[in-house]
Amino acid sequence: MAYSNYVPVIGTILNMARGNDCCSQTMSLRTENGIVNFMIGPETHIIDNRPLRAGLRVAAFYDASLPVPLIFPPQYRAQIVTVLVRDEQIMLNEFDRNLTAKDGSLQLNIARNTIVETLNGQRVSCNPGNRTLLVYYTTTTRSIPPQTTPRRIVILC
């Protein structure tokens, strides 16, 4: 799967509405740039299978290579949705064996309490390097590249 085309939108859920059928929903997010709507279907990965509700701060990823309707507010098909805790940042990127992002924007320092798991929630103890990772973190150093000790890493196999 080409995760390199995934673009995150971070915001607070305004509302959840039933979609066109029983297997889909529409999620409206309030972001820094206004309202963005997402279609959530059976193919959408909801990290931790958390129920989505108004008031939650989330990151929703869409595939920028797919066509989207030219409407306002924008509407995308969510590929991944994850709930974020207060002040948490998220990054989806390819990381090398040294755990440096492909674009050099972040380097990871894994601590003993860093949760490392697969997309379906299985804990792993292997080195997550040379893979696409979904990284949850709060602070970074001012070095180049910035470094962080993530709270959680999800390996997208």
Side-chain angles (χ1 to χ4, degrees), residues 61-114:
F61 292 84
Y62 68 92
D63 188 340
S65 67
L66 297 177
V68 295
L70 295 174
I71 59 174
F72 186 81
Q75 181 172 304
Y76 303 105
R77 182 163 302 280
Q79 303 298 319
I80 299 173
V81 179
T82 187
V83 176
L84 301 176
V85 298
R86 183 182 166 113
D87 298 327
E88 190 166 53
Q89 301 296 314
I90 194 157
M91 174 185 278
L92 176 64
N93 209 325
E94 291 179 40
F95 286 80
D96 66 17
R97 64 183 177 88
N98 298 318
L99 297 176
T100 301
K102 182 179 179 180
D103 61 4
S105 61
L106 190 65
Q107 183 174 0
L108 307 179
N109 298 313
I110 297 178
R112 184 172 300 169
N113 62 342
T114 300

Side-chain angles (χ1 to χ4, degrees), residues 7-23:
V7 176
V9 175
I10 297 174
T12 303
I13 298 176
L14 289 175
N15 65 356
M16 299 291 297
R18 192 174 138 217
N20 297 334
D21 59 31
C22 289
C23 295

Side-chain angles (χ1 to χ4, degrees), residues 1 3 6 27 39-50 52 58-62 77-83 92 118-121 134 136 154-157:
M1 181 163 283
Y3 295 109
Y6 282 23
M27 174 178 70
M39 297 302 299
I40 298 174
E43 70 285 347
T44 303
H45 293 286
I46 309 293
I47 303 292
D48 295 333
N49 292 318
R50 296 253 327 248
L52 301 175
V58 299
F61 292 84
Y62 68 92
R77 182 163 302 280
Q79 303 298 319
I80 299 173
V81 179
T82 187
V83 176
L92 176 64
T118 61
L119 188 58
N120 64 7
L134 183 60
Y136 299 75
V154 177
I155 301 172
L156 303 179
C157 299

